[in-house]
Amino acid sequence: MNKQQTPLRSGFEAATTATEALAGRDLSGMQAIVTGGASGLGLETVRVLAGAGAKVLVPARDPHQAQAALDGMTGVEVAALDLLDPQSIDAFAATFLATGRALHVLVNGAGIMATPLRRDARGYEGQFATNHLGHFQLTARLWPALRQAQGARVVCVSSLGHRQAGVDLDDPHFLRQPYDKWRAYAQSKSANALFAVELDRRGAAHGVRAFSLHPGAILTPLVRHLDLDDLRRVGALDDEGQVNPPPQSGFKNVEQGAATAVWCATSAQLEGLGGVYCEDCDIATLVADDSTGPGVRRWAADPAQARRLWALSEQMTGVRFDCEAA
């Protein structure tokens, strides 16, 4: 297990906002890409990074809709990208690489949650394909720009949902078992964390560090596929059955929810560290798989499992990183 998976006592907390997590840092001269940056937590992440001087590129399936959401933000661009379409990923990355710009921050934040069964053109289950494989391929294609930055960070947005299941390496696409939307989501979020573990192992020697995180429970467009039973399950309903989380539910607002991603992307407290899972603007505690509290489960922080997932991801995507760990 990663010995760095120990809280830093950063001084931040669950109520810390993204602006507070940035701690006044000037990001002028930095280039960021934020997937999922046109809504919810991603939109707030873009707002804070751009407000601190970074140039931010936001990939989106619907660039016109994304542009409308981002209208008025200085230093923010939009481009087309569909994480379920390998050709779209390659085209987006090729266009960015052609600019010759270094990439200092890549926030892999786009995702879908608890959706009905959907398969991409390869037959891959949609949540695993979007949340993990799409970002795996995107990061690989952007690798030259990340290396060029000589100090880049890749931030993978996981979830407390990872607590429900690890990655089923034998049947990740539910070809031999009944589809379970929550288990599919959970394994995709465990995959996000494991991807950061292995990417950091391979990338550290090239100046690329990787982090994963749980942003907190927040009501964003990510919940669009949830019915009332689902919302009740996650504690989002009040006593009258309305979508209005009670104060004791622990839900965050968007400004608080974006804080840990911004902290992972920019904080000097993380210099020299990587491959760790974070929550509430600090490194999370590694806990037993049957734990019911916060922290990262061992199946989402296991270096051996991370290497196996990496090999499977290369096989599934046909994409290899131009990097090897020392």
Side-chain angles (χ1 to χ4, degrees):
M1 292 296 170
N2 191 338
K3 296 179 180 179
Q4 296 178 339
Q5 192 65 55
T6 303
L8 298 174
R9 307 190 192 286
S10 67
F12 297 116
E13 58 183 7
T16 297
T17 67
T19 298
E20 292 167 344
L22 186 65
R25 183 171 180 183
D26 182 3
L27 304 183
S28 299
M30 294 181 65
Q31 173 69 55
I33 292 177
V34 180
T35 72
S39 67
L41 304 184
L43 181 60
E44 177 66 6
T45 300
V46 170
R47 186 190 71 79
V48 171
L49 295 179
K55 300 293 185 184
V56 186
L57 178 58
V58 178
R61 281 183 298 173
D62 187 337
H64 297 292
Q65 183 177 349
Q67 189 64 62
L70 297 160
D71 188 46
M73 291 191 189
T74 302
V76 178
E77 304 173 83
V78 174
L81 171 67
D82 183 348
L83 287 168
L84 274 178
D85 181 351
Q87 292 182 336
S88 174
I89 297 171
D90 287 351
F92 168 82
T95 299
F96 179 80
L97 294 179
T99 68
R101 287 181 279 180
L103 179 57
H104 303 87
V105 173
L106 171 60
V107 179
N108 290 327
I112 54 177
M113 179 174 72
T115 62
L117 178 59
R118 176 188 179 188
R119 299 191 184 279
D120 67 9
R122 300 166 293 188
Y124 296 164
E125 188 276 315
Q127 295 190 73
F128 191 77
T130 300
N131 298 349
H132 170 59
L133 292 177
H135 284 121
F136 180 90
Q137 180 170 342
L138 177 65
T139 307
R141 296 308 193 204
L142 292 171
W143 184 250
L146 289 165
R147 286 190 59 177
Q148 184 182 336
Q150 298 182 340
R153 292 189 186 182
V154 177
V155 179
C156 303
V157 180
S158 181
S159 166
L160 62 81
H162 88 274
R163 303 173 188 174
Q164 304 303 314
V167 180
D168 184 343
L169 297 176
D170 295 320
D171 188 22
H173 302 300
F174 294 86
L175 298 176
R176 299 190 298 274
Q177 60 185 312
Y179 178 68
D180 181 314
K181 65 182 182 180
W182 284 109
R183 186 175 173 195
Y185 178 67
Q187 78 160 353
S188 76
K189 295 291 102 178
S190 287
N192 291 153
L194 290 170
F195 176 42
V197 171
E198 181 63 5
L199 179 61
D200 189 78
R201 187 183 77 87
R202 291 169 178 258
H206 304 284
V208 181
R209 306 310 300 258
F211 305 87
S212 65
L213 65 106
H214 164 43
I218 311 101
L219 290 179
T220 72
L222 187 66
V223 304
R224 67 176 66 90
H225 295 287
L226 304 191
D227 57 26
L228 287 177
D229 286 340
D230 292 326
L231 291 168
R232 187 173 294 106
R233 168 180 174 171
V234 300
L237 301 183
D238 62 18
D239 292 339
E240 283 70 47
Q242 300 299 310
V243 181
N244 183 28
Q248 68 272 20
S249 66
F251 274 74
K252 297 183 180 184
N253 60 35
V254 171
E255 291 80 8
Q256 296 164 341
T260 305
V262 169
W263 183 74
C264 287
T266 64
S267 178
Q269 293 177 303
L270 290 169
E271 291 296 331
L273 300 175
V276 291
Y277 176 99
C278 302
E279 54 191 13
D280 295 337
C281 299
D282 204 343
I283 296 175
T285 302
L286 183 68
V287 299
D289 291 344
D290 60 356
S291 173
T292 58
V296 60
R297 303 307 182 264
R298 293 179 180 275
W299 62 55
D302 181 354
Q305 184 78 343
R307 288 192 290 273
R308 289 190 287 269
L309 175 63
W310 186 282
L312 182 64
S313 302
E314 287 186 330
Q315 176 186 332
M316 289 179 174
T317 62
V319 173
R320 296 183 65 87
F321 277 69
D322 183 21
C323 69
E324 290 294 337

